[in-house]
Amino acid sequence: MAEHQGAAREHQPEQPIELPGDFPAPDHRRDQQLCLDAGRALMLCGVLVAIPTAFYPADGAAAADANKRRALLGFVAWILGVSLCLLGLTPAAAPWAVRAGTAVAGTVLKYMSPPV
């Protein structure tokens, strides 16, 4: 048995040979970060729009209607932000979804960021 113990240490597994035509897998970290950033921004904006409607009640019917629309808009923005964050956290499950989320996130950040 002693003669077989050393044999296992001497045998090294073969390293895969990379051919010149092989390309590395695309790096999705930038897409993930973009989805997370846009998701966080949308979640924050949704909360900032929806929360004041709960604390400042409307006086008239028109103001109450505007408050309801504002609350719905804030809720939709918050849900979209949560969805983008979840897409950014699950790149291995669906890389096509991360690309779609990146397109949405780019559009959202373009409209939300001031021009330079």
Side-chain angles (χ1 to χ4, degrees):
M1 185 107 145
E3 64 271 358
H4 296 293
Q5 289 177 352
R9 281 186 235 140
E10 292 174 9
H11 178 68
Q12 295 293 326
E14 292 184 23
Q15 298 293 325
I17 298 172
E18 292 187 26
L19 300 175
D22 289 345
F23 296 104
D27 188 19
H28 297 291
R29 286 180 287 193
R30 181 183 173 281
D31 296 341
Q32 287 176 316
Q33 193 62 43
L34 186 62
C35 282
L36 288 173
D37 288 343
R40 280 180 250 166
L42 273 174
M43 286 171 47
L44 179 65
C45 288
V47 167
L48 290 176
V49 168
I51 292 295
T53 61
F55 293 111
Y56 300 111
D59 292 333
D65 210 25
N67 268 356
K68 288 178 188 175
R69 276 183 269 161
R70 187 177 297 147
L72 179 66
L73 178 69
F75 180 70
V76 168
W78 186 80
I79 289 293
L80 183 60
V82 168
S83 299
L84 281 175
C85 284
L86 289 177
L87 280 176
L89 294 175
T90 57
W96 59 269
V98 174
R99 287 192 299 271
T102 302
V104 170
T107 304
V108 165
L109 289 178
K110 183 176 88 173
Y111 285 112
M112 292 180 74
S113 61
V116 178

